[in-house]
Amino acid sequence: MKLLRFGAPGQEKPGLLDADGTIRDLSGVLPDLAGEALSPEGLAKLAALDTSKLPAVSGSPRLGSPVARMTNFVCIGLNYADHAAETGAAIPKEPIIFLKSLGALSGPNDDVEIPAGSTKTDWEVELAIIIGRRAKRVSEAEAMDHVAGYAVCNDVSEREYQIERGGTWDKGKGCDTFGPLGPWLVTKDEVPDPQNLAMFCEVDGERYQDGSTRTMIFGVTKLVSYVSQFITLHPGDVISTGTPPGVGMGQKPPKFLKAGQTIRLGIEGLGEQTQRTVEG
């Protein structure tokens, strides 16, 4: 299934994308895509619905984040061997964990705000794992029992704030609109091998990232298990798993975003996002 949330910011309704590409309204079935709705049992109930009997949504409504009431927006740094190489960083011996502010979360096609005075705002296409069942100190063998599905994430980053201003990475990662997620949550049954997905990111029509989840250093099962040793994960939580090479920081010379540009990114089977950059 492809599950989504549509409507104005703060007023999103739950929905799904049917086999014909029509958005179907789920608000008569459940209040939102959160909590128990994302559990294996909750997803099984949704899968059993006759989608043709659900109200069709007309037009092209705004899409919000495909999950609601997230508790943790976890990100993994330097998790692609080829991306680590382009930045000159050593291959991590353990996953690098940082947290993105929940205030950074936005819809997949919402504007990305360039912070006032920023000169080094960057793009990062990433595979996001969406948690469906509470995970606390789970093993790798148990990890997939806690995964609801996957989505596309743009881990927008301000490199000066992240690298040059001292302290942790978080200040360069948590600005408003720096976490576009979606367009939908694709349930894990539709993604038989999350470690073999093509992914791309373009800016103003020029392709900069053209990679694959094959080059991830730590895979999905490892990351769910590892993060859960330190942070209890709840339904709707996201682990954004790192980015392949081609970010602006890695260009020679580096290239960064400015207002008035268009970012387009996507992952095989998970859909695409398109954002305009605006002054923050």
Side-chain angles (χ1 to χ4, degrees):
M1 288 183 294
K2 294 180 174 65
L3 302 173
L4 55 89
R5 298 171 66 247
F6 65 96
Q11 301 176 37
E12 293 92 346
K13 294 181 179 181
L16 61 78
L17 193 73
D18 70 16
D20 297 322
T22 299
I23 295 176
R24 298 285 179 167
D25 189 343
L26 285 173
S27 60
V29 177
L30 75 169
D32 214 338
L33 291 171
E36 187 62 27
L38 300 173
S39 70
E41 297 78 13
L43 294 177
K45 289 178 182 177
L46 293 179
L49 294 172
D50 181 350
T51 57
S52 67
K53 295 182 179 179
L54 296 170
V57 179
S58 61
S60 300
R62 170 192 173 270
L63 298 180
S65 161
V67 290
R69 298 200 294 279
M70 184 189 299
T71 301
N72 296 293
F73 197 162
V74 182
C75 296
I76 308 298
L78 297 174
N79 192 34
Y80 281 68
D82 37 8
H83 173 56
E86 79 170 339
T87 64
I91 301 295
K93 294 181 179 178
E94 294 190 38
I96 296 171
I97 296 175
F98 62 92
L99 297 175
K100 214 170 178 73
S101 166
L102 297 183
L105 185 67
S106 60
N109 304 313
D110 290 349
D111 290 343
V112 167
E113 297 178 8
I114 308 296
S118 166
T119 59
K120 295 185 178 180
T121 298
D122 206 346
W123 57 85
E124 294 190 14
V125 59
E126 303 201 0
L127 172 70
I129 305 164
I130 298 179
I131 299 299
R133 172 180 283 163
R134 182 177 181 270
K136 183 174 184 176
R137 294 193 293 272
V138 301
S139 68
E140 290 185 44
E142 300 169 313
M144 292 306 296
D145 295 337
H146 299 265
V147 173
Y150 306 94
V152 180
C153 181
N154 187 357
D155 177 20
V156 184
S157 308
E158 214 294 345
R159 302 301 188 186
E160 179 191 358
Y161 301 173
Q162 176 189 357
I163 299 167
E164 302 172 33
R165 299 283 293 273
T168 65
W169 289 4
D170 302 64
K171 69 180 72 171
K173 299 284 190 170
C175 302
D176 291 347
T177 74
F178 271 27
L181 188 68
W184 27 75
L185 181 167
V186 181
T187 51
K188 64 184 177 184
D189 58 294
E190 292 195 10
V191 187
D193 185 2
Q195 305 305 154
N196 189 27
L197 302 175
M199 54 205 308
F200 75 91
C201 182
E202 299 174 351
V203 179
D204 290 340
E206 182 173 351
R207 184 159 295 199
Y208 288 98
Q209 292 187 275
D210 196 358
S212 169
T213 57
R214 289 193 303 272
T215 65
M216 284 172 64
I217 299 165
F218 305 106
V220 169
T221 55
K222 173 68 175 180
L223 291 175
V224 173
S225 173
Y226 186 87
V227 172
S228 78
Q229 308 307 309
F230 308 97
I231 300 169
T232 299
L233 298 167
H234 300 273
D237 282 358
V238 163
I239 303 174
S240 197
T241 60
T243 198
V247 298
M249 179 175 63
Q251 305 301 310
K252 300 187 186 306
K255 295 183 179 180
F256 296 109
L257 295 165
K258 58 185 182 294
Q261 294 186 286
T262 299
I263 313 167
R264 177 173 166 262
L265 60 149
I267 299 178
E268 179 183 357
L270 303 184
E272 296 184 3
Q273 304 179 352
T274 302
Q275 295 116 24
R276 289 286 292 170
T277 54
V278 299
E279 294 286 356

